[in-house]
Amino acid sequence: MSEATNIHPIFNSLLSREKKQEALNQKGIVLWMTGLSGSGKSTLARALEFALHDLGYNTMLLDGDNLRTGINSNLGFSEEDRTENVRRSAEVSKLFVSSGLITICSLISPTEEIRAQARDIIGEEDFYQVHIDAPFEVCAERDVKGLYKKALAGEIKNFTGLDSPFEIPADPFVRIPTHTQTLEESLKQLLDAVLPVIKLSNIK
Ligand SMILES: Nc1ncnc2c1ncn2[C@@H]1O[C@H](COP(=O)(O)OS(=O)(=O)O)[C@@H](OP(=O)(O)O)[C@H]1O
Ligand SMILES: Nc1ncnc2c1ncn2[C@@H]1O[C@H](COP(=O)(O)OP(=O)(O)O)[C@@H](O)[C@H]1O
């Protein structure tokens, strides 16, 4: 992939990740939130970030829609572009987690292959996959941004779940069924899963 030659990366800064985590009193992880458009990724990611902040944790929120206005602004929704979109987002997540931050990355990331790529970049020990689970019909009914109406009318091509695939993650860290829960219930399920793995005292 790399086209540069004669580069010499320094893998560890003098200040170690462990020192940074100690200062923050937390274990950095990447919470990789995958799910259909309208499943609840952004809503839950934001709610989780506020809840963690209130509990004294330091976080970084990366949202697909937002990344696509900047670092990923040249990418569309072909399989190739989604793969590159996820690759870059995973590389950015890796930088944040190496500073000890709880990094919440919210991207459709539709296939097992694309998510495996993210896991490989970030590293298995830091990668926590969260499936935000709601069926296509529920997401289409919610139609938060009006995209389903347009996609069903043929105005948007390569729409996830319609003419572009979404593969249900086989073995996520946690699966949140937002179609059967209130936001408060979903947030509680997520927090209950996450808090034990970010507490530094549980890791030592
Ligand atoms: N064709 C098509 N399919 C799916 N989604 C579309 C499409 N076109 C635009 N959008 C908007 O882009 C957001 C998804 O971007 P992601 O970067 O998360 O997608 S991906 O991971 O590369 O598959 C997605 O955001 P969410 O609704 O938050 O998922 C949509 O707002
Ligand atoms: N339990 C729940 N968790 C998260 N969102 C929910 C839940 N129940 C209903 N919703 C609603 O579903 C919609 C999800 O939209 P959004 O968060 O933008 O999804 P995505 O980021 O996956 O595209 C919001 O309107 C939200 O209020």
Side-chain angles (χ1 to χ4, degrees):
M1 174 59 88
S2 174
E3 291 182 11
T5 54
N6 300 312
I7 51 166
H8 303 278
I10 299 168
F11 288 107
N12 290 308
S13 68
L14 288 177
L15 191 55
S16 70
R17 172 170 169 181
E18 285 67 30
K19 288 268 179 216
K20 292 176 186 177
Q21 291 187 158
E22 271 169 35
L24 294 168
N25 193 27
Q26 66 186 35
K27 158 99 171 64
I29 61 168
V30 177
L31 280 165
W32 191 274
M33 302 179 70
T34 172
L36 289 172
S37 177
S39 58
K41 300 183 299 298
S42 306
T43 304
L44 263 173
R46 279 188 228 124
L48 179 67
E49 188 176 43
F50 276 106
L52 290 177
H53 178 78
D54 284 348
L55 292 169
Y57 290 98
N58 285 271
T59 55
M60 180 66 201
L61 178 54
L62 299 169
D63 190 277
D65 261 331
N66 293 348
L67 294 171
R68 281 176 175 279
T69 67
I71 182 176
N72 293 332
S73 63
N74 63 324
L75 301 173
F77 291 90
S78 66
E79 192 186 337
E80 190 186 3
D81 279 7
R82 288 182 198 252
T83 301
E84 176 61 9
N85 182 46
V86 169
R87 187 190 71 77
R88 289 183 202 167
S89 305
E91 290 285 1
V92 172
S93 299
K94 187 179 172 181
L95 295 177
F96 283 115
V97 81
S98 74
S99 278
L101 294 180
I102 317 299
T103 306
I104 305 165
C105 194
S106 161
L107 273 92
I108 292 177
S109 40
T111 64
E112 293 282 39
E113 189 178 348
I114 272 182
R115 294 185 292 263
Q117 174 192 230
R119 186 199 59 221
D120 290 347
I121 290 169
I122 290 162
E124 194 143 11
E125 64 290 357
D126 289 330
F127 183 79
Y128 289 77
Q129 191 179 165
V130 179
H131 178 207
I132 308 301
D133 186 15
F136 180 90
E137 296 70 29
V138 172
C139 297
E141 179 68 30
R142 288 177 180 163
D143 207 5
V144 185
K145 303 171 193 160
L147 297 179
Y148 281 84
K149 190 172 174 219
K150 286 188 189 163
L152 287 163
E155 292 166 27
I156 302 177
K157 297 294 170 206
N158 293 329
F159 193 73
T160 308
L162 197 61
D163 54 351
S164 183
F166 183 83
E167 296 170 4
I168 293 174
D171 188 24
F173 166 61
V174 60
R175 204 186 303 278
I176 314 278
T178 65
H179 55 303
T180 65
Q181 295 175 331
T182 63
L183 174 56
E184 291 69 30
E185 289 167 338
S186 295
L187 179 60
K188 182 175 184 312
Q189 189 193 345
L190 191 50
L191 266 177
D192 286 349
V194 168
L195 286 177
V197 291
I198 61 175
K199 271 199 183 119
L200 207 50
S201 53
N202 286 357
I203 313 303
K204 282 177 177 169

